[in-house]
Amino acid sequence: MKRFHMYDDHDRVTTPFHSHATAAEVIHGVDLTGRRALVTGGASGIGVETVRALAGAGAEVTIATRNPASAADFVRDLTAAHGSGSVRVAALDLADLLSVDAFARTWQGPLDILVANAGIMAVPERTVSAQGWELQLATNHLGHFALATALHGSLRQADSARIVIVSSGAHLTAAFDFDDPQFERRPYDRWTAYGQSKTADVLLAVGARRWATDGIAANAVNPGWINTNLQRHIDDATMRALGAIDEEGNIIPQPYYKEPTQGASTSVLLAASPLVSGITGRYFEDNQEARPVQGAEEQPGGVAAHALDHEAADRLWDYATATVTAVLR
């Protein structure tokens, strides 16, 4: 069994890939023939490029998405590509634990790679899932937690499995509020809710250190700023205030913007590269392990101390477990 290196005092992991490297570049030379991968939200945005790279390296990839029909053309093109692994599509609604349970029950055999990529951002008004959780937290965190725990046996069966959890730099703005995580008493703020859900994603990677002895590594990633369908809930006025578009609605190019294939690169690195073999419980951005930060800093990026806290990770794990158990018992 491989020895795993978890978050503590350690040298940060670095790789030779720059911030705008593509998914194809970071996976070049890696052979995933015989490996099985599952990518949530793999029918759009950086999910498409994650699937393309993994399948291109020979993996058998399952795209899990709320709308399987939306992936039909993409799957057809990939299937026709010479040298690609097989790709299939399955229905999964992460905001509904019953859907997650139904999906997990259909999975047979080992799972080598789980990329928790699907997500929603900045839902304008407080909305709850079928199980009563604030929708961003339900989709971005609880659904993926339920999926990973339901597939734990398949991940363990793979012997050296990897979980990649797509978080965001927005986690820096909000710790997890255990007193009122569902915004039942405090005023709902869409950005605080989004930031909290992305902190929860990092805490999921930290909490999964308990699976290291099962040969399962879990790490979180900030893909960077990519213009995808994730921004669908953001109005033009907000996009202008963020400096993302001009008065005519055209995207204003910024040096830190990435194309989807560049945004997918860190996910693909963590999913498949031998450079990060045996690494677990960490947070990466721009194809490098991020530096821990305390509070607001002028230098952008980094990972917040509140997202690396072992006690918070274990407390959140127990909180999510209680919810899943109550629904599915």
Side-chain angles (χ1 to χ4, degrees), residues 45-110:
I46 64 173
V48 163
E49 300 305 328
T50 301
V51 171
R52 192 192 310 277
L54 297 178
E60 172 193 319
V61 184
T62 296
I63 297 171
T65 177
R66 285 189 304 163
N67 180 16
S70 66
D73 291 343
F74 172 53
V75 171
R76 184 168 52 251
D77 292 344
L78 270 187
T79 301
H82 177 70
S84 289
S86 63
V87 182
R88 72 180 188 96
V89 186
L92 172 65
D93 182 356
L94 287 162
D96 185 351
L97 293 180
L98 297 180
S99 174
V100 175
D101 181 60
F103 174 89
R105 289 178 183 274
T106 67
W107 189 272
Q108 299 292 323

Side-chain angles (χ1 to χ4, degrees), residues 7 116 163-168 171 198-206 217-223 266-267 270 279-285 288-290 303 307-308:
Y7 243 129
I163 302 173
V164 182
I165 304 154
V166 179
S167 180
S168 165
H171 86 274
K198 289 305 178 177
T199 286
D201 283 340
V202 186
L203 291 172
L204 174 54
V206 176
N219 293 286
V221 54
N222 170 18
T266 312
S267 291
L270 291 171
I279 300 298
T280 191
R282 307 193 190 184
Y283 174 94
F284 286 72
E285 59 188 4
Q288 315 294 331
E289 184 182 356
V303 57
L308 302 180

Side-chain angles (χ1 to χ4, degrees), residues 273-313:
S273 175
L275 296 175
V276 292
S277 179
I279 300 298
T280 191
R282 307 193 190 184
Y283 174 94
F284 286 72
E285 59 188 4
D286 293 337
N287 296 306
Q288 315 294 331
E289 184 182 356
R291 62 191 179 86
V293 297
Q294 294 280 353
E297 296 187 11
E298 289 187 8
Q299 184 177 351
V303 57
H306 64 242
L308 302 180
D309 184 82
H310 284 196
E311 182 179 349

Side-chain angles (χ1 to χ4, degrees), residues 17-191:
F17 301 111
H18 58 80
S19 62
H20 284 58
T22 66
E25 289 172 335
V26 303
I27 204 173
H28 179 71
V30 176
D31 184 3
L32 296 180
T33 303
R35 308 293 294 276
R36 304 177 74 205
L38 169 61
V39 181
T40 67
S44 64
I46 64 173
V48 163
E49 300 305 328
T50 301
V51 171
R52 192 192 310 277
L54 297 178
E60 172 193 319
V61 184
T62 296
I63 297 171
T65 177
R66 285 189 304 163
N67 180 16
S70 66
D73 291 343
F74 172 53
V75 171
R76 184 168 52 251
D77 292 344
L78 270 187
T79 301
H82 177 70
S84 289
S86 63
V87 182
R88 72 180 188 96
V89 186
L92 172 65
D93 182 356
L94 287 162
D96 185 351
L97 293 180
L98 297 180
S99 174
V100 175
D101 181 60
F103 174 89
R105 289 178 183 274
T106 67
W107 189 272
Q108 299 292 323
L111 174 59
D112 299 277
I113 299 166
L114 169 58
V115 183
N117 167 81
I120 57 173
M121 179 174 74
V123 177
E125 298 180 353
R126 182 180 183 271
T127 307
V128 298
S129 69
Q131 285 77 40
W133 274 43
E134 187 278 315
L135 191 59
Q136 294 184 80
L137 189 57
T139 304
N140 298 345
H141 174 70
L142 182 63
H144 283 129
F145 172 84
L147 181 64
T149 52
L151 294 175
H152 174 255
S154 293
L155 291 161
R156 181 176 55 204
Q157 188 179 344
D159 188 50
S160 185
R162 299 188 186 187
I163 302 173
V164 182
I165 304 154
V166 179
S167 180
S168 165
H171 86 274
L172 292 162
T173 66
F176 192 88
D177 188 334
F178 286 98
D179 292 329
D180 187 18
Q182 312 303 337
F183 292 85
E184 295 168 311
R185 295 179 299 279
R186 56 179 169 148
Y188 175 77
D189 178 83
R190 60 180 176 173
W191 292 110

